[in-house]
């Protein structure tokens, strides 16, 4: 047989090339695989602790802020490290489902990281893979072979980022309420809920309820100071309630929490964390629309509701209640709700550890008086301040004040008041009447700090001592003859026993001029 040496040579060459090619490919594949093998011998062990204190405070009994979303039972936490070290793609990512209702405060995640400077980012997602929580650690440095522990604070997605939904319920069974409107849910000049939208009462078995449902995730994340205005069947306003409604990204605000002394929020019988039902009854409406409150040192507590049977202990507590109601009344009045005045009735000696500051946001008409006019109550504070730009009228009637008084805005009426302290009158309007007395070791009992200020009289006064008025020197020269410092409607005749006023070092007596009581400065 004839052997073709040339063909054999070609075949051997081809086979050799094929073997070499296959060997090269295998070597290359092996090389690629070995490049993916990570040597962790020099890597540090980093334990990541999720810190959820802010979340726990957000939904705790003591810190809950009325309408609040509830975290889902299952949250997927993704932990990612970013830094100067070199890692393969996704090697530094850990994820885990926290599939219970407790907070993951005791849960740690372990990352193996090479030497370098790092930060760790945590995101929490619901079952729909929507991000609801996030947090990033401070930067930290690790060395090879070390063990490190880092805490990452996890909280809701940043305010005003993303949108959520309202789905709340209010029971109105024991009322004739027809609907409610929500205002104050506004951000960047845009109403997140139409303030004219009526959320109407619907039957629900034996109950009547209002469903506050925005329908979808269409409200920008924010803590809204909302105003709930309730209307009767005849479209008259029943009452107005201020509540905070908290909206969070990709979450449903569907839970009321018992907050403070809000009597319309009834804690659920099976709740251990403050969850509540919003139940508005006619009795609650009558309470909210009340305008008279009591203060008593002996019988009062600042946690009471301010009724005669359960008075407050301090004037400060009563004032806070009045100012909150006055704010509500201001908005109600703008919608046709009748305006109203408030009264605080004091019994006994009431000492306030803080300065008393009356500075309402809207016009306030308030009378503070004694329970028994024959035994005037005593209010004690370092300073009573009446400030603010509103047209307020504050009346002290038959009461003793122990402390300095500062009047800068509004109207202050003092009728039959004994004052132990200074009265600094440098703005607003001061009106005196009845039995007035000032006592202090300093001669400057009334100080006028503004030119041409006038003390008005609601009626002729009987002062048990000389009322001393101390003008500052820069004002004295500007006063002309017969400058009327005190004026007002008066009745009766002038008598030597009529109240004396001291201007500088001279005494003057009121006289009747054109049926007005006038103190003329020569």
């Amino acid at each position: 047989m004839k052997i073709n040496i040339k063909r054999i040579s070609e075949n051997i060459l081809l086979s050799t090339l094929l073997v070499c090619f296959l060997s090269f490919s295998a070597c290359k594949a092996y090389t690629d695989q070995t490049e993916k093998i990570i040597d962790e011998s020099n890597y540090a062990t980093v334990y990541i602790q999720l810190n959820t204190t802010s979340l726990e405070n957000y939904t705790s009994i003591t810190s809950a802020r009325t309408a609040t979303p509830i975290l889902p039972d299952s949250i997927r936490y993704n932990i990612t490290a970013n830094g100067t070290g070199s890692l393969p793609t996704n090697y530094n990512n850990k994820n885990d489902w926290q599939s219970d209702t407790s907070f993951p405060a005791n849960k740690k995640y372990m990352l193996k990281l090479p030497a370098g400077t790092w930060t760790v980012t945590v995101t929490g997602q619901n079952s729909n893979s929507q991000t609801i929580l996030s947090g990033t650690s401070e930067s930290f440095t690790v060395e090879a072979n070390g063990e490190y522990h880092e805490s990452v604070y996890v909280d809701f997605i940043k305010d005003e980022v993303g949108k959520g939904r309202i789905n709340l319920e209010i029971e109105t069974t024991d009322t004739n309420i027809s609907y409610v409107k929500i205002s104050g849910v506004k951000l960047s000049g845009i109403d997140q809920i139409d303030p004219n939208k009526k959320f109407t009462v619907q039957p629900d078995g034996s109950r009547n309820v209002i469903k506050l449902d925005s329908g979808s995730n269409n409200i920008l994340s924010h803590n809204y100071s909302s105003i709930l205005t309730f209307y009767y069947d005849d479209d008259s306003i029943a009452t107005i309630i201020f509540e905070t409604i908290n909206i969070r990204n990709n979450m449903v605000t569907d839970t009321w929490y018992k907050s403070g002394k809000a009597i319309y929020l009834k804690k659920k019988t099976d709740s251990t964390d403050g969850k509540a039902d919003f139940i508005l009854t006619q009795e609650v409406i009558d309470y909210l629309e009340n305008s008279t409150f009591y203060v008593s040192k002996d019988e009062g507590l600042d946690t009471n509701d301010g009724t005669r049977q359960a008075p407050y202990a301090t004037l400060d507590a009563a004032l806070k209640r009045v100012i909150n109601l006055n704010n509500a009344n201001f908005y109600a009045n703008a919608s046709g709700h009748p305006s109203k005045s408030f009264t605080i009735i004091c019994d006994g000696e009431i000492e306030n550890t803080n300065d008393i500051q009356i500075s309402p946001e809207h016009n306030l008409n308030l009378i503070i008086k004694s329970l028994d006019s024959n035994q005037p109550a005593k209010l004690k504070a370092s300073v009573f301040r009446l400030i603010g730009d509103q047209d307020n009228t504050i009346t002290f009637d038959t009461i003793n004040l122990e402390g300095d008084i500062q009047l800068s805005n509004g109207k202050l009426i003092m009728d039959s008041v004994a004052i132990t302290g200074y009265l600094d009158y440098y703005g607003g309007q001061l009106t005196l009447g009845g039995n007035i007395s000032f006592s202090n070791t300093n001669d400057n009992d009334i100080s006028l700090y503004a030119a041409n200020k006038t003390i008005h009289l609601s009626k002729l006064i009987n002062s048990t001592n000389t009322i001393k008025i101390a003008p500052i020197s820069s004002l004295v020269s500007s006063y002309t003859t017969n400058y009327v410092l005190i004026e007002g409607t008066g009745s009766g005749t002038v008598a030597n026993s009529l109240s004396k006023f001291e201007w500088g070092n001279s005494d003057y007596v009121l006289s009747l001029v054109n049926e007005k009581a006038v103190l003329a400065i020569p």
Side-chain angles (χ1 to χ4, degrees):
M1 180 176 65
K2 185 178 179 179
I3 298 174
N4 190 331
I5 301 298
K6 182 179 179 181
R7 181 176 295 276
I8 290 175
S9 299
E10 290 175 350
N11 289 340
I12 292 172
L13 177 62
L14 180 62
S15 299
T16 303
L17 290 173
L18 180 61
V19 169
C20 289
F21 175 77
L22 292 176
S23 298
F24 175 80
S25 298
C27 291
K28 179 67 170 65
Y30 178 77
T31 302
D32 287 346
Q33 289 176 0
T34 57
E35 286 179 354
K36 291 185 179 180
I37 296 175
I38 304 302
D39 180 11
E40 297 183 2
S41 60
N42 290 325
Y43 277 31
T45 301
V46 181
Y47 293 97
I48 304 301
Q49 174 88 46
L50 302 192
N51 190 316
T52 56
T53 302
S54 58
L55 287 175
E56 294 173 49
N57 289 339
Y58 193 86
T59 55
S60 71
I61 296 175
T62 56
S63 301
R65 293 172 291 180
T66 59
T68 302
I70 300 299
L71 287 173
D73 290 343
S74 296
I75 301 175
R76 183 188 182 101
Y77 291 93
N78 296 284
I79 295 88
T80 303
N82 300 283
T84 59
S86 175
L87 287 177
T89 303
N90 294 329
Y91 179 81
N92 57 338
N93 178 270
K94 299 283 185 181
N95 63 70
D96 178 60
W97 282 96
Q98 176 72 28
S99 301
D100 56 48
T101 56
S102 63
F103 289 100
N106 296 318
K107 198 155 196 172
K108 290 184 179 180
Y109 298 85
M110 185 185 75
L111 297 177
K112 298 289 285 185
L113 300 176
T117 301
W118 299 90
T119 60
V120 171
T121 297
V122 176
T123 59
Q125 297 179 341
N126 59 22
S127 58
N128 295 323
S129 298
Q130 296 172 318
T131 301
I132 58 176
L133 304 172
S134 70
T136 300
S137 72
E138 299 288 337
S139 62
F140 58 92
T141 301
V142 301
E143 304 294 340
N145 297 315
E147 182 175 302
Y148 299 86
H149 296 264
E150 295 296 326
S151 178
V152 180
Y153 286 82
V154 180
D155 203 347
F156 291 109
I157 298 296
K158 187 168 132 181
D159 195 22
E160 300 184 30
V161 174
K163 294 182 177 181
R165 174 186 172 190
I166 292 176
N167 187 18
L168 294 163
E169 183 178 282
I170 299 174
E171 181 179 342
T172 62
T173 304
D174 184 34
T175 71
N176 291 322
I177 286 174
S178 176
Y179 59 92
V180 65
K181 293 181 180 180
I182 305 178
S183 57
V185 185
K186 189 172 186 176
L187 206 60
S188 301
I190 300 174
D191 288 309
Q192 305 297 304
I193 294 180
D194 181 358
N196 294 314
K197 177 179 173 60
K198 295 181 180 180
F199 294 88
T200 57
V201 172
Q202 304 292 334
D204 182 16
S206 60
R207 305 183 308 149
N208 290 333
V209 299
I210 297 175
K211 299 280 189 179
L212 303 180
D213 191 351
S214 63
S216 62
N217 289 353
N218 55 3
I219 303 176
L220 196 61
S221 298
H222 190 66
N223 297 338
Y224 294 96
S225 299
S226 60
I227 305 164
L228 305 176
T229 305
F230 294 86
Y231 293 84
Y232 288 126
D233 295 336
D234 62 358
D235 292 331
S236 63
I237 295 176
T239 191
I240 293 183
I241 293 175
F242 286 72
E243 282 299 347
T244 300
I245 295 181
N246 305 286
I247 305 296
R248 288 291 162 238
N249 185 48
N250 292 319
M251 300 191 71
V252 180
T253 299
D254 57 1
T255 304
W256 296 104
Y257 275 83
K258 180 68 174 174
S259 178
K261 294 296 178 180
I263 62 173
Y264 45 82
L265 293 175
K266 307 291 185 182
K267 183 180 175 182
K268 292 179 180 288
T269 55
D270 60 345
S271 174
T272 58
D273 57 2
K275 295 176 184 176
D277 294 314
F278 193 128
I279 302 176
L280 192 59
T281 65
Q282 191 58 49
E283 181 182 4
V284 168
I285 292 173
D286 293 340
Y287 169 85
L288 294 174
E289 291 296 294
N290 185 25
S291 61
T292 300
F293 303 97
Y294 292 80
V295 181
S296 172
K297 174 186 176 182
D298 296 330
E299 304 174 18
L301 291 172
D302 281 351
T303 54
N304 284 343
D305 58 14
T307 61
R308 181 68 187 94
Q309 294 73 28
Y312 293 117
T314 65
L315 180 62
D316 193 48
L319 284 171
K320 287 180 180 177
R321 175 77 182 282
V322 164
I323 289 174
N324 284 337
L325 288 174
N326 186 65
N327 288 341
N329 185 69
F330 173 83
Y331 291 102
N333 185 244
S335 303
H337 195 47
S339 61
K340 61 183 178 181
S341 300
F342 296 89
T343 302
I344 296 176
I345 299 176
C346 303
D347 183 25
E349 183 175 307
I350 299 163
E351 185 167 0
N352 296 271
T353 56
N354 300 322
D355 294 346
I356 296 298
Q357 182 163 297
I358 305 178
S359 179
E361 298 174 24
H362 306 288
N363 297 346
L364 173 64
N365 191 343
L366 171 64
I367 298 174
I368 302 174
K369 66 179 184 178
S370 297
L371 178 65
D372 184 352
S373 59
N374 293 319
Q375 294 181 322
K378 178 185 287 187
L379 297 180
K380 300 176 66 175
S382 298
V383 180
F384 297 87
R385 293 190 182 92
L386 282 71
I387 62 177
D389 297 329
Q390 307 301 322
D391 187 18
N392 308 307
T393 300
I394 312 298
T395 301
F396 288 100
D397 184 2
T398 316
I399 206 162
N400 297 337
L401 298 177
E402 186 172 311
D404 297 338
I405 299 173
Q406 297 177 358
L407 173 62
S408 61
N409 288 96
K411 299 176 183 177
L412 173 61
I413 300 174
M414 309 188 76
D415 193 345
S416 299
V417 175
I419 301 172
T420 304
Y422 310 114
L423 199 162
D424 295 335
Y425 172 34
Y426 49 90
Q429 177 178 306
L430 175 63
T431 300
L432 302 177
N435 294 312
I436 299 290
S437 69
F438 291 85
S439 61
N440 202 287
T441 55
N442 191 298
D443 289 338
N444 300 337
D445 294 317
I446 299 180
S447 300
L448 302 181
Y449 289 115
N452 299 327
K453 296 306 298 180
T454 300
I455 298 176
H456 299 264
L457 296 183
S458 58
K459 53 188 174 182
L460 289 179
I461 68 172
N462 294 307
S463 178
T464 56
N465 60 347
T466 298
I467 298 177
K468 299 177 180 180
I469 302 170
I472 59 177
S473 58
S474 61
L475 297 181
V476 174
S477 61
S478 66
Y479 294 136
T480 59
T481 302
N482 294 328
Y483 171 74
V484 178
L485 179 70
I486 298 180
E487 67 175 15
T489 58
S491 59
T493 59
V494 178
N496 291 332
S497 61
L498 198 61
S499 307
K500 286 187 176 181
F501 289 81
E502 181 179 291
W503 176 257
N505 293 320
S506 303
D507 288 350
Y508 298 91
V509 179
L510 289 175
S511 60
L512 291 178
V513 177
N514 297 327
E515 297 186 353
K516 288 186 177 181
V518 174
L519 175 63
I521 306 299

